[in-house]
Amino acid sequence: MGIFNFFSKDKKEKLDKGLEKTKENVFGKISRAVAGKSTIDELALDDIEEALITSDIGVETTLKIIGKLEERVAKNKYINTAELNDFLKAEISLLMKEGYDEIPKVDGPYVIMVVGVNGVGKTTTIGKLAHQFKQQGKKVVLGAADTFRAAAVDQLLIWADRVGVEIVKQDMGSDPASVCFDTLQSAKASGADVVIIDTAGRLHNKINLMNELTKIKNVMAKVILEAPHDVMLVLDASTGQNAIEQATQFTKATEVNSLALTKLDGTAKGGVVIGISDQFQIPVRYIGVGEGVEDLQVFNKNEFVDSLFN
Amino acid sequence: MFENLSEKLDKAFKVLKGQGSISEINVAQTMKQIRKALLAADVDFKTAKSFTSRVQEKAMGEKVLTAIDPGQLLTKIMKDELATLMGSEQSDISLDGSPTVILIAGLQGSGKTTFSGKLALLLKSKKNKRPLLVACDVYRPAAIDQIGVLAEQVGVDVYQDRKNKNPVEIAQAAIKHAKTNGHNVVIIDTAGRLAVDEQMMKEISAVKSAVNPNETLFVVDAMTGQDAVNTAKAFNEKLNFDGVVLTKLDGDTRGGAALTIRSVVDKPIKFIGTSEKMDGLDVFHPDRMASRILGMGDVISLVERAQQQFDEEEARRVQKKIAKNQFGFDDFLKQIQQVKKMGNMKDLVGMIPGMGKAMKGVDMDDDAFKGIEAIIHSMTKQERENPKLLNGSRKKRIASGSGTTVVEVNQLIKQFSQMGKMMKMMQGGGAKQMMQMMKGKGGIPGM
């Protein structure tokens, strides 16, 4: 079963499999929409619109893409399916930022703070991430700053054991900012390379909880001036347009500078990241494509878009 | 919840409201905007399409064009349609069987375990049941611990078997355990699973046929996008569930799943999750939700909640004090606690007609009272009973004791005395009094 299946073989296969539904949904429909037609007419444009919207790409982004397509069609009415695919691929690529996997050299440990609403998969992502860094030979310390949700600390503790990294924790209900302070001090003292902070899931419209997050973030600078170097927002691929509001509010509270998109191995299409990447100019850094410890991949824009088309 | 959709529909209606008479083109344009709003709220593409065309048809049939107030008529048509779409009747869960067996299923992270805890509390406190929570998520790290902690929080028993990795066996053993230990409800929490994971879907089917539940509930995150339809369909095909639980509705704006699921799988939404607290579980009222979507507010829910939480005796005691001019800061503190018990403040205010929109983006969480409580806690007993004692040096001491400023202390005292006057003016029943306090926005400091 998922979690115990530590070393899954073919990463690419997983991604393709996960994205297959996306492909079927968007491009299957589009192919059908334009099949047997030598030109793109109103009706085909409507079908493309439907295909994009049902993939959670969103009304605004869809209209943006359709607008570009209309311009293109106005210039040249005789566009075929292959050209259409290329055109859409290019347009979607343009909307997305390039991801990155390297951790820049910093003075002391590189601190990643992981945030997001409830149930998106923050803790699981952290477990997988810790495993990747460990594999790269880095010394990793986890900070269990979700002191609110029942058994959240235990969950992270199991992950720390499983991948063999250190963890700093306090009792449930203790001040998360204080956990972060401890974690950073301990990591600094022990010469760790990477610190990953787990925070409690919170709905982005709860102002006090968002203020708490700002406080957690600010406390880190007291130990390491530039920390956190990376604030990573975890998004659930099955989330609809609300993800945009999540990105807005979390960015406001913590200056999010990277995204992780989870649960892409389900039927969810993940189209919402296209709009978010575009609107906030934040790169998707990782994608989750399974429950295994290895099922976290560095996001590659070209691969992602290619997987949609090939 | 749903503020954004209401807002967008408002905007769409404005086109109509601004005009005395409207043309067919106008209606079509409005419908287009309504459809866009529904899509932005994650309503399924097809559902949105059929919904708008049905509304348009009805609008034409009911002569919206010649109505005195076309906007209002259209609102009514939409509200009725929305209610129909979400199921026109409220439906309860079945508590037959001895014990009643309730199976919980859903995707990862949808909120199954939290819901299981909430349901156990609800059945215990409202239906006088003795529920047993069963930990059948054998995969996710610490899932068993999580349900154990929740069981303790709500004060019910939990059945767990850490050595067994077979959910079917655990569920069966749990029911046996329930029978011998006098539990009349068994709530089986299962692992999150993707609809495309065949092995896991087989597993939950096996659990279902082994325990033959009286009620199978499908838990879904209210923020789910277009995929809600696929997932609901897939789970329904495998499990033929009896009802839907919509979680995280205390988030903002979206609720497309609520509009869609019922119509697509023809299963009622039975519960909604409205906070992280264990009592944050509501019964789903389709008609109220329809009003809410259209920005008409939900006064009935608000009154019900106020009545539930309001301690009648306490109210009488306070009233006597008010009448005798003895209302002190301690009583005020108790009042605040009463209000807090009613739930998330923003949630409550959102139920007042017209307030949902006004409150958008306004800071108002449960902690809104924190500063007030700190100030009152920094007063001596005498000061609390007799606010007139508060002179300059006392205020200074209170400010430093509560980590506030003298200005803030003064503000509280002023608002407190205003409130005292206001409360004296009203001598109604308990719940009514609470309602008045809620409505008089300036009445409660910090609101």
Side-chain angles (χ1 to χ4, degrees):
Chain A
M1 206 61 25
I3 282 171
F4 301 104
N5 163 19
F6 274 26
F7 302 100
S8 54
K9 328 110 242 153
D10 196 354
K11 283 190 175 187
K12 186 72 172 70
E13 196 183 293
K14 274 260 182 187
L15 177 63
D16 282 347
K17 211 179 138 210
L19 290 174
E20 217 167 282
K21 296 112 203 171
T22 318
K23 195 165 63 186
E24 273 163 17
N25 268 294
V26 186
F27 302 101
K29 274 183 195 160
I30 293 175
S31 300
R32 253 176 281 133
V34 296
K37 295 172 191 158
S38 54
T39 60
I40 311 286
D41 56 15
E42 270 299 299
L43 220 63
L45 280 178
D46 278 355
D47 284 341
I48 291 168
E49 185 184 308
E50 172 177 355
L52 295 175
I53 280 174
T54 51
S55 300
D56 283 322
I57 287 172
V59 177
E60 293 307 317
T61 310
T62 296
L63 290 179
K64 205 164 164 176
I65 295 169
I66 295 282
K68 292 264 175 67
L69 193 60
E70 276 174 332
E71 271 172 41
R72 172 78 169 76
V73 172
K75 262 186 252 159
N76 178 8
K77 274 201 169 284
Y78 302 94
I79 177 172
N80 61 34
T81 314
E83 284 172 313
L84 178 70
N85 275 4
D86 284 344
F87 181 82
L88 284 174
K89 191 162 138 185
E91 281 306 323
I92 293 173
S93 286
L94 272 179
L95 296 176
M96 299 191 84
K97 293 269 284 180
E98 191 62 81
Y100 59 97
D101 59 337
E102 279 304 296
I103 282 181
K105 265 257 156 280
V106 294
D107 213 16
Y110 184 80
V111 181
I112 303 171
M113 176 184 180
V114 179
V115 301
V117 300
N118 317 62
V120 289
K122 286 179 294 299
T123 310
T124 307
T125 301
I126 290 168
K128 294 174 183 175
L129 209 51
H131 172 74
Q132 289 206 348
F133 288 134
K134 178 106 194 285
Q135 294 293 102
Q136 293 166 16
K138 292 190 169 74
K139 185 173 157 55
V140 183
V141 177
L142 304 183
D146 180 357
T147 57
F148 178 77
R149 205 208 64 206
V153 175
D154 294 329
Q155 191 183 347
L156 194 67
L157 195 63
I158 292 171
W159 273 106
D161 276 351
R162 186 178 283 176
V163 301
V165 298
E166 270 177 56
I167 179 168
V168 176
K169 62 182 179 75
Q170 289 180 13
D171 290 337
M172 287 303 297
S174 52
D175 179 13
S178 144
V179 177
C180 291
F181 191 85
D182 283 0
T183 309
L184 264 60
Q185 274 200 324
S186 155
K188 203 174 164 185
S190 66
D193 301 304
V194 187
V195 173
I196 312 174
I197 302 282
D198 188 16
T199 62
R202 64 201 72 220
L203 292 171
H204 51 282
N205 59 336
K206 309 238 160 143
I207 289 145
N208 283 306
L209 293 179
M210 295 308 279
N211 287 343
E212 180 193 79
L213 208 57
T214 310
K215 183 186 154 201
I216 294 171
K217 178 179 178 265
N218 291 342
V219 108
M220 294 188 207
K222 287 182 184 164
V223 187
I224 298 167
L225 197 61
E226 281 88 28
H229 305 86
D230 188 6
V231 179
M232 186 183 291
L233 173 66
V234 181
L235 296 172
D236 183 329
S238 67
T239 305
Q241 297 311 299
N242 193 245
I244 294 171
E245 197 57 30
Q246 290 172 23
T248 309
Q249 297 308 328
F250 276 98
T251 300
K252 224 186 250 173
T254 57
E255 293 162 59
V256 171
N257 44 23
S258 71
L259 302 172
L261 187 67
T262 62
K263 307 182 202 175
L264 214 47
D265 48 331
T267 38
K269 294 123 198 145
V272 73
V273 281
I274 297 170
I276 290 175
S277 238
D278 175 39
Q279 202 173 322
F280 297 92
Q281 298 291 299
I282 308 171
V284 181
R285 221 174 135 182
Y286 296 97
I287 56 172
V289 291
E291 283 188 286
V293 74
E294 298 246 310
D295 293 332
L296 184 77
Q297 299 180 7
V298 171
F299 178 79
N300 181 307
K301 171 173 139 176
N302 292 326
E303 253 177 47
F304 182 80
V305 180
D306 274 348
S307 303
L308 296 177
F309 288 85
N310 297 330
Chain B
M1 52 183 101
F2 292 119
E3 283 120 346
N4 251 11
L5 181 55
S6 302
E7 224 168 75
K8 287 198 173 118
L9 292 184
D10 263 2
K11 218 185 267 171
F13 281 133
K14 246 179 210 147
V15 183
L16 294 179
K17 279 179 183 160
Q19 285 153 297
S21 71
I22 46 169
S23 67
E24 203 164 313
I25 299 163
N26 243 328
V27 173
Q29 265 172 356
T30 308
M31 288 304 149
K32 208 171 170 183
Q33 252 176 305
I34 289 169
R35 196 171 74 96
K36 225 171 118 180
L38 292 172
L39 288 176
D42 292 321
V43 173
D44 162 62
F45 191 85
K46 290 200 177 73
T47 309
K49 214 170 180 173
S50 63
F51 175 74
T52 38
S53 60
R54 259 204 326 269
V55 169
Q56 184 164 3
E57 233 170 73
K58 282 209 174 163
M60 293 307 181
E62 291 197 26
K63 301 197 177 73
V64 168
L65 295 182
T66 52
I68 299 167
D69 197 339
Q72 230 169 55
L73 184 53
L74 201 52
T75 308
K76 191 192 168 295
I77 294 169
M78 279 196 59
K79 195 199 146 190
D80 293 348
E81 274 304 309
L82 275 174
T84 312
L85 189 67
M86 289 186 294
S88 24
E89 287 297 311
Q90 180 210 321
S91 42
D92 288 325
I93 60 166
S94 154
L95 290 173
D96 300 340
S98 71
T100 307
V101 178
I102 302 170
L103 180 65
I104 315 292
L107 298 182
Q108 288 94 340
S110 54
K112 290 174 297 301
T113 307
T114 305
F115 168 71
S116 299
K118 287 178 178 180
L119 182 62
L121 178 65
L122 184 97
L123 293 177
K124 181 190 156 194
S125 61
K126 300 249 166 79
K127 305 265 181 196
N128 274 319
K129 295 280 181 188
R130 266 197 83 213
L132 177 71
L133 282 168
V134 183
C136 270
D137 181 356
V138 297
Y139 306 106
R140 209 199 63 202
I144 296 174
D145 299 318
Q146 188 185 351
I147 198 160
V149 172
L150 293 179
E152 205 185 311
Q153 267 177 33
V154 301
V156 303
D157 288 338
V158 64
Y159 182 87
Q160 41 193 213
D161 182 354
R162 284 171 197 274
K163 286 189 202 101
N164 198 339
K165 295 278 174 222
N166 183 340
V168 175
E169 287 172 17
I170 298 171
Q172 283 172 325
I175 292 172
K176 227 178 256 167
H177 176 89
K179 280 180 183 161
T180 49
N181 289 279
H183 292 285
N184 43 18
V185 179
V186 178
I187 301 170
I188 302 171
D189 180 33
T190 62
R193 63 200 74 224
L194 292 166
V196 288
D197 191 334
E198 268 178 52
Q199 206 182 333
M200 289 293 281
M201 291 308 280
K202 262 186 204 149
E203 181 202 273
I204 192 132
S205 300
V207 172
K208 187 178 174 183
S209 39
V211 302
N212 192 22
N214 304 84
E215 186 83 26
T216 303
L217 295 173
F218 173 61
V219 181
V220 62
D221 186 327
M223 293 179 277
T224 309
Q226 300 281 330
D227 191 45
V229 176
N230 303 331
T231 310
K233 265 189 194 159
F235 271 82
N236 195 40
E237 271 164 30
K238 283 269 171 6
L239 290 178
N240 189 21
F241 53 74
D242 303 296
V244 177
V245 179
L246 210 58
T247 61
K248 304 179 207 173
L249 261 170
D250 47 335
D252 55 3
T253 64
R254 310 306 188 210
L259 294 178
T260 320
I261 289 176
R262 165 103 201 201
S263 69
V264 173
V265 296
D266 199 26
K267 295 290 164 68
I269 296 167
K270 295 197 171 177
F271 291 105
I272 58 171
T274 55
S275 97
E276 282 192 272
K277 288 181 190 151
M278 279 296 113
D279 60 357
L281 188 66
D282 275 332
V283 176
F284 181 74
H285 295 278
D287 49 333
R288 294 184 197 177
M289 196 63 95
S291 302
R292 200 156 174 155
I293 291 168
L294 294 170
M296 292 168 169
D298 186 0
V299 178
I300 311 163
S301 285
L302 180 62
V303 173
E304 269 183 8
R305 217 184 296 182
Q307 278 169 344
Q308 251 172 36
Q309 297 294 349
F310 202 80
D311 184 338
E312 286 285 334
E313 217 168 290
E314 173 67 20
R316 265 194 296 275
R317 200 186 63 80
V318 166
Q319 245 157 33
K320 247 187 226 160
K321 282 204 153 185
I322 294 169
K324 287 186 193 159
N325 253 340
Q326 286 172 346
F327 187 74
F329 275 106
D330 267 329
D331 304 302
F332 185 42
L333 210 55
K334 273 194 190 135
Q335 294 276 308
I336 289 175
Q337 268 138 21
Q338 290 274 6
V339 173
K340 271 167 75 177
K341 263 202 276 179
M342 286 168 62
N344 180 296
M345 286 306 297
K346 200 170 169 181
D347 216 32
L348 289 172
V349 176
M351 291 179 193
I352 301 168
M355 287 295 280
K357 227 177 1 177
M359 291 310 294
K360 195 176 177 338
V362 174
D363 184 352
M364 206 167 82
D365 228 314
D366 294 4
D367 287 3
F369 296 116
K370 243 187 184 159
I372 299 166
E373 286 172 323
I375 291 173
I376 298 176
H377 283 306
S378 299
M379 294 177 184
T380 65
K381 200 168 180 302
Q382 284 80 12
E383 285 164 350
R384 289 188 216 178
E385 275 163 18
N386 185 7
K388 287 196 185 89
L389 284 176
L390 294 166
N391 58 22
S393 71
R394 282 175 190 263
K395 283 177 191 167
K396 226 175 180 174
R397 193 205 73 239
I398 291 163
S400 71
S402 58
T404 56
T405 60
V406 175
V407 179
E408 282 169 274
V409 175
N410 275 330
Q411 216 174 351
L412 175 65
I413 295 168
K414 195 175 156 205
Q415 279 166 325
F416 172 77
S417 73
Q418 277 172 354
M419 194 182 133
K421 274 181 218 152
M422 192 181 83
M423 288 174 82
K424 215 185 160 182
M425 285 185 330
M426 315 174 306
Q427 295 286 347
K432 194 177 150 207
Q433 188 184 333
M434 291 303 290
M435 285 294 295
Q436 297 291 338
M437 279 173 62
M438 300 300 304
K439 277 184 186 159
K441 242 183 96 187
I444 304 170
M447 272 184 66

